[in-house]
Structure formats: C-alpha cells, structure tokens
DNA sequence: GTCCAGGCATGCA
DNA sequence: TGCATGCATGGA
C-alpha cells in the first residue's frame, strides 16, 4: 500500500485488501453511513471521516498526515497483513469460499469504551435500530465535533444520564446496563485500558463481571474494541455455522479467529 | 397486527 | 451445569 498526503486529503493506493461497504457495514461498527456519492462518512474517536473509493485508490477527505498516521491507519488495521492471513484461513474450504465471495472485510480497531457500550446495546436488537440508538446517545451527551456531529460519549458524560434518559433514547431494558456500566467506569471499577493488557481469558472474565455482558457481548468488545484478534464471538448465526464444523474450529483459524468469525458471520447471513 | 433482532439475567431443575 | 422465560423497542 502507498500513502500520499495531499494538501487536504490523504490518498491510499495499491490497497490489497479493503472493501468499504463490507468492512463499514457488516455489523462491527455502527456509526458509518453510505452517502449518495457512494462514499462513507462516520465518526470514530473524536474524528469525523469521509472516505471514498476512487478507481484503484481510496480518498480520505480532509485528513492530515497526522490524522492518518496517528489514528486512521490503526483504525483500519492497515498494519496487519490480511493477504497472508487470508491465505492461511483459506486452507478451510468454507472460509475459502467466504473470503472469495466477500473479499475485503477488515477488523476495525474501535475505541474500547464505544465498542463495549455499542455491543451491550446490540443484544436482542437489529442493526438499523442499534445504529439509531447509538446516534441518539451521541447526540444527547457526546462532545460536538463540528457539523452537527457528536463523538461517542465518554464515561463521565454517560454517567450523567439517568436510566430514564437511556430509555428515552430507545435503549429499552438495556438502559439499566448502561447506567451501571457508566457508574463503574467513572469510579475506576471497570478499567478497559487495564483489561486490554490482560491475557484473553482474564480479559474476558473481567468483562463478564459487568451487568448486561455475556459471552457474545464480551467477545465482540474484545475483538472490535480491545484488540483481541483471536476472540470469536458466538451469536445465533455462528452457532448455525459451527454445526458445519462438527462444533470444533479448524486449526488454520488459530490466531486469526476474529477475522474468520467475521467472514463466516457474513457468509451465514447471506447463505443460511 | 405480528415477528424478530449479532443476548442476557434470572429462576428452577 | 443446563434449560425456559421475560425483556423494551421499532423496523420489516
């Protein structure tokens, strides 16, 4: 991949492995919207981005070299060699088919706090509704970052919301979970930066102690927010997929379970 | 109107 | 440990 820093934009060429729609709209992140010109706009951290595929290159609008190097490069996981990982994963027949069909899914490195809150909201919920709840949450108490756009609220901002406030934005029965989580995060009882440094199982157990966090939500937070590429979220779709493996994971998934999961999840939703 | 969504907490065996 | 049930909400 080559990176060019223009006067306003950052331009990526020779990108081996990125499909914007598959990556930004596959249910791992909830703040990206497709625009009329087929570009994608979204918020991550306290940054707004518009990114568009233009022929063989990708244009990150109004993105400085600092923004790219210090934030988006890691967000899009560009430091990881997806080509060699997918080559390894393709040793499995089903995964090989999924990768061929949906080439270009990357795992985004999202903010741990946002990922945890988002996947608590996601439980027993559908993606379009998850998106709208999160948007209302950001509009209600996140930092304005310009253009009428708001960042995802920090713990102390969420802690100022009451259970009733969370219900008013449509969180439903998850309102209680969000309120408790915010309180614990502010008190330091939940420390995601510390959890990030733990071994996978310890990190997982810490997350499981949070009200409203079960196996699936914990694994999503680990994979999409806390940098655990080997986490393997098991939702209803993945349970169906795993019957095709007799319940045991192929050896070639090892170390890359998260990406394998995301491909199989996508494959299952379109083929089962 | 009815169904269902990237589940989880709870109670009971 | 394993299974049944209730849960808030709104888009399809």
């Amino acid at each position: 991949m080559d990176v060019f820093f223009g006067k306003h934009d950052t331009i990526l060429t020779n990108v081996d492995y990125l499909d914007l729609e598959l990556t930004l709209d596959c249910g791992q992140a909830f703040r990206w919207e497709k625009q009329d010109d087929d570009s994608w706009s979204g918020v991550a951290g306290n940054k707004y981005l518009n990114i568009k595929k233009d022929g063989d290159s990708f244009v990150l609008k109004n993105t400085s070299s600092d923004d790219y190097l210090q934030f988006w490069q890691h967000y899009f996981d560009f430091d990881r060699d997806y080509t060699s990982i997918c080559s390894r994963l393709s040793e499995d027949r089903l995964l090989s088919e999924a990768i061929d069909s949906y080439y270009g899914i990357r795992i985004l490195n999202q903010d741990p706090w946002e990922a945890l809150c988002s996947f608590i909201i996601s439980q027993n919920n559908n993606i379009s509704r998850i998106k709208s709840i999160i948007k209302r949450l950001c509009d209600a108490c996140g930092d304005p970052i310009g253009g009428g756009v708001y960042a995802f609220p920090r713990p102390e901002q969420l802690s100022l919301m009451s259970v009733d406030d969370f219900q008013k934005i449509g969180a439903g029965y998850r309102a209680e979970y969000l309120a408790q989580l915010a309180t614990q995060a502010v008190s330091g009882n939940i420390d995601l930066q510390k959890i990030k440094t733990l071994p996978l199982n310890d990190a997982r157990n810490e997350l499981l102690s949070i009200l409203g966090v079960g196996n699936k939500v914990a694994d999503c937070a680990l994979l999409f927010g806390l940098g655990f590429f080997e986490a393997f979220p098991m939702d209803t779709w993945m349970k169906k997929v795993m019957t095709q493996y007799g319940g045991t994971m192929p050896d070639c998934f090892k170390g890359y379970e998260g990406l394998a999961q995301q491909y199989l999840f996508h494959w299952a939703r379109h083929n089962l």
Side-chain angles (χ1 to χ4, degrees):
Chain A
M1 185 173 86
D2 298 308
V3 185
F4 297 96
F5 300 114
K7 189 173 179 185
H8 301 292
D9 307 334
T10 291
I11 298 162
L12 313 177
T13 59
N14 298 318
V15 181
D16 285 335
Y17 198 100
L18 171 61
D19 184 292
L20 289 178
E21 180 143 7
L22 289 174
T23 297
L24 299 175
D25 204 30
C26 65
Q28 63 172 316
F30 302 102
R31 298 209 66 198
W32 292 94
E33 298 291 345
K34 193 177 193 175
Q35 307 302 121
D36 292 339
D37 65 352
D38 284 343
S39 67
W40 287 82
S41 292
V43 183
N46 61 353
K47 295 181 192 302
Y48 172 88
L49 176 67
N50 175 268
I51 181 170
K52 183 177 185 182
K53 184 171 170 64
D54 181 15
D56 291 331
S57 57
F58 292 89
V59 179
L60 287 73
K61 279 220 157 199
N62 296 313
T63 301
S64 69
S65 57
D66 278 357
D67 283 341
Y68 177 76
L69 293 171
Q70 292 172 23
F71 189 82
W72 296 113
Q73 178 172 320
H74 180 244
Y75 181 83
F76 282 98
D77 211 23
F78 283 136
D79 296 319
R80 202 185 302 272
D81 184 353
Y82 278 72
T83 301
S84 75
I85 292 172
C86 284
S87 159
R88 170 78 170 140
L89 290 176
S90 292
E91 291 173 19
D92 177 66
R93 185 199 57 78
L94 179 54
L95 205 39
S96 175
E97 179 190 330
I99 291 172
D100 285 346
S101 302
Y102 307 114
Y103 178 83
I105 298 180
R106 304 184 76 91
I107 302 293
L108 300 170
N109 290 118
Q110 300 180 67
D111 176 73
W113 171 249
E114 175 173 345
L116 178 57
C117 294
S118 296
F119 281 97
I120 283 177
I121 292 168
S122 81
Q123 64 187 80
N124 200 30
N125 213 339
N126 62 65
I127 291 179
S128 71
R129 191 160 169 267
I130 296 163
K131 281 185 167 182
S132 63
I133 292 170
I134 290 173
K135 182 178 187 313
R136 286 193 292 270
L137 190 60
C138 296
D139 291 350
C141 61
D143 284 330
I145 59 174
V149 178
Y150 295 83
F152 192 88
R154 289 172 277 106
E156 52 272 30
Q157 292 173 312
L158 273 198
S159 71
L160 298 177
M161 300 270 284
S162 66
V163 174
D164 197 47
D165 292 333
F166 287 125
Q167 276 169 350
K168 279 180 182 147
I169 59 149
Y173 70 91
R174 309 160 198 84
E176 182 68 39
Y177 302 157
L178 294 171
Q180 280 208 32
L181 174 61
T183 302
Q184 292 197 63
V186 168
S187 74
N189 207 347
I190 301 287
D191 183 350
L192 293 174
Q193 292 310 318
K194 190 197 83 182
I195 291 175
K196 201 172 159 67
T197 67
L198 298 175
L200 176 62
N201 276 326
D202 295 342
R204 199 161 184 272
N205 285 330
E206 288 279 326
L207 294 174
L208 288 174
S209 72
I210 300 168
L211 184 69
V213 177
N215 292 326
K216 193 268 172 182
V217 170
D219 286 337
C220 282
L222 289 169
L223 175 59
F224 301 126
L226 288 153
F228 288 86
F229 205 72
E230 65 273 37
F232 194 80
M234 187 71 74
D235 71 335
T236 49
W237 288 106
M238 291 306 297
K239 284 173 186 165
K240 292 179 194 172
V241 172
M242 289 312 287
T243 61
Q244 311 218 4
Y245 291 104
T248 57
M249 239 186 275
D251 287 341
C252 66
F253 287 15
K254 191 155 185 56
Y256 315 125
E257 291 88 343
L259 186 61
Q261 190 274 356
Q262 200 59 12
Y263 267 107
L264 291 175
F265 171 72
H266 205 77
W267 179 88
R269 290 188 69 197
H270 290 84
N271 295 280
L272 293 181

